Every structure is written in structure tokens, then in C-alpha cells.
């Protein structure tokens, strides 16, 4: 292999952020590839908004935000496509991947489902980002104001078609 071909091949295997050979590579919708840690750090450190390509600044197709401002109780995430319209217990369902904020008389709580896990962070959250990666089968939630990751489900968590879920107000009605 000649020098030019070798350089072109090495460039194809290099992260656009760190310029090293890929570590846990991910290709986003615009076609650019990155090390997964580099992409997450780029979003966490506000180098680019969550869900935006660090190379071309194009938004990905699978990112949306929920304005939770003025609402103390809300839910956002995804559910199994076939689960739409069914009553699903949040603590038992493997079909719901949600971030939930619940206000009681004395304190605010933040939870994720599948399984139900309590999270501790500053409340209230005004704008929550959701990043859906169908290639990896995962969904992650972002504190948009701080460009920080709240929670990321493990790779392979979503192995079925999903729909977005948005809800503001009382979750038990």
C-alpha cells in the first residue's frame, strides 16, 4: 500500500475530535464518526449542543427536548411502539424508558424507568434533551442548560421499535 492510500485509510479510522484511532466508534446521522467518549465529552463540555455533530454542526434526527419550565411533574423518553395506549406500571414495565420528575409536598424527585431508579440532582430542570441512538439501542437524557448527561441506558436496551413519550402534569391521572 502506498503512502497516500495508507494516510487515507488511517484518516477513515480516526476520530474527528481526538484525531486518534477510534475507541468505541459511533457514526451519527450526518455520516461523521467519533469515539463515543469524545462525542459525549463534546456535548458535556458545551463544545457542541447535545445531538449536534461536532464536525459539521448538523443536528441528528433522533434528538428532541422537553421544556419542563413551570411544570413540577413531567415525563419524557420512549416506549415500545406496541405499548402505546396501554396502561403500563412504571415500576414493572420493560417497555418504558423514561425520565420522570415528581414533586411532592416536601421535595422533588427524579427517576428513570426500566428499572425504576432514583437520581439526585439539582431541580428544577427547565429543558431536558433526549438522544435516541437506534444503532446502539440506547436512549440518554441531558440537562440542556448545563450540557450534562443525566442518565444513559446501556447499549442494547432498545431492541424493538419505539415511539417518543412526552407528558407534563400529574402522571397518575
Amino acid at each position: 500500500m502506498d503512502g497516500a492510500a495508507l494516510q487515507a485509510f488511517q484518516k477513515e479510522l480516526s476520530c474527528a475530535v481526538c484525531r486518534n484511532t477510534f475507541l468505541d466508534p459511533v457514526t451519527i446521522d450526518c455520516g461523521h464518526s467519533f469515539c463515543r467518549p469524545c462525542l459525549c465529552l463534546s456535548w458535556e463540555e458545551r463544545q457542541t449542543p447535545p445531538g449536534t455533530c461536532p464536525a459539521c454542526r448538523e443536528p441528528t434526527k433522533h434528538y428532541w427536548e422537553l421544556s419542563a419550565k413551570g411544570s413540577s411533574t413531567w415525563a419524557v423518553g420512549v416506549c415500545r411502539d406496541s405499548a402505546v395506549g396501554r396502561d403500563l406500571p412504571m415500576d414493572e414495565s420493560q417497555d418504558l424508558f423514561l425520565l420522570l420528575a415528581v414533586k411532592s409536598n416536601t421535595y422533588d424527585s427524579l427517576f428513570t424507568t426500566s428499572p425504576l431508579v432514583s437520581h439526585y440532582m439539582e431541580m428544577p430542570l427547565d429543558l431536558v434533551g433526549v438522544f435516541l441512538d437506534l444503532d446502539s439501542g440506547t436512549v440518554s437524557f441531558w440537562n440542556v442548560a448545563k450540557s450534562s448527561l443525566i442518565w444513559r441506558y446501556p447499549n442494547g436496551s432498545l431492541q424493538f421499535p419505539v415511539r417518543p413519550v412526552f407528558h407534563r402534569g400529574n402522571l397518575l391521572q
Side-chain angles (χ1 to χ4, degrees):
M1 188 179 289
D2 69 358
L6 181 60
Q7 281 186 325
F9 184 67
Q10 286 176 329
K11 184 179 179 187
E12 288 297 314
L13 297 176
S14 298
C15 172
V17 173
C18 70
R19 307 283 187 223
N20 292 323
T21 304
F22 290 121
L23 173 68
D24 192 11
V26 60
T27 301
I28 59 177
D29 294 331
C30 62
H32 289 109
S33 298
F34 308 93
C35 300
R36 186 175 307 277
C38 291
L39 184 60
C40 290
L41 280 174
S42 172
W43 292 343
E44 286 178 13
E45 294 175 356
R46 293 185 177 194
Q47 294 170 2
T48 58
T52 303
C53 175
C56 68
R57 308 276 186 205
E58 263 190 49
T60 64
K61 292 189 292 187
H62 308 295
Y63 177 78
W64 62 94
E65 295 174 350
L66 171 75
S67 174
K69 193 168 191 165
S71 181
S72 58
T73 303
W74 49 265
V76 64
V78 297
C79 72
R80 182 186 293 260
D81 193 19
S82 61
V84 175
R86 295 188 343 208
D87 290 331
L88 298 169
M90 287 187 204
D91 60 343
E92 297 173 12
S93 177
Q94 297 300 306
D95 295 338
L96 292 168
F97 296 85
L98 302 175
L99 180 67
L100 309 162
V102 180
K103 182 174 181 78
S104 70
N105 292 335
T106 55
Y107 59 92
D108 295 338
S109 300
L110 194 64
F111 300 94
T112 49
T113 60
S114 296
L116 193 61
V117 176
S118 179
H119 299 273
Y120 299 96
M121 67 180 311
E122 186 179 328
M123 294 286 277
L125 293 171
D126 289 337
L127 197 57
V128 177
V130 181
F131 182 65
L132 176 62
D133 183 348
L134 295 175
D135 292 333
S136 298
T138 188
V139 62
S140 55
F141 303 105
W142 293 82
N143 178 340
V144 176
K146 294 189 176 183
S147 293
S148 63
L149 181 65
I150 298 169
W151 177 260
R152 181 179 185 277
Y153 285 96
N155 288 353
S157 295
L158 307 174
Q159 297 182 358
F160 42 79
V162 295
R163 287 184 180 252
V165 174
F166 305 91
H167 186 83
R168 287 179 50 168
N170 190 342
L171 298 170
L172 302 176
Q173 289 181 344

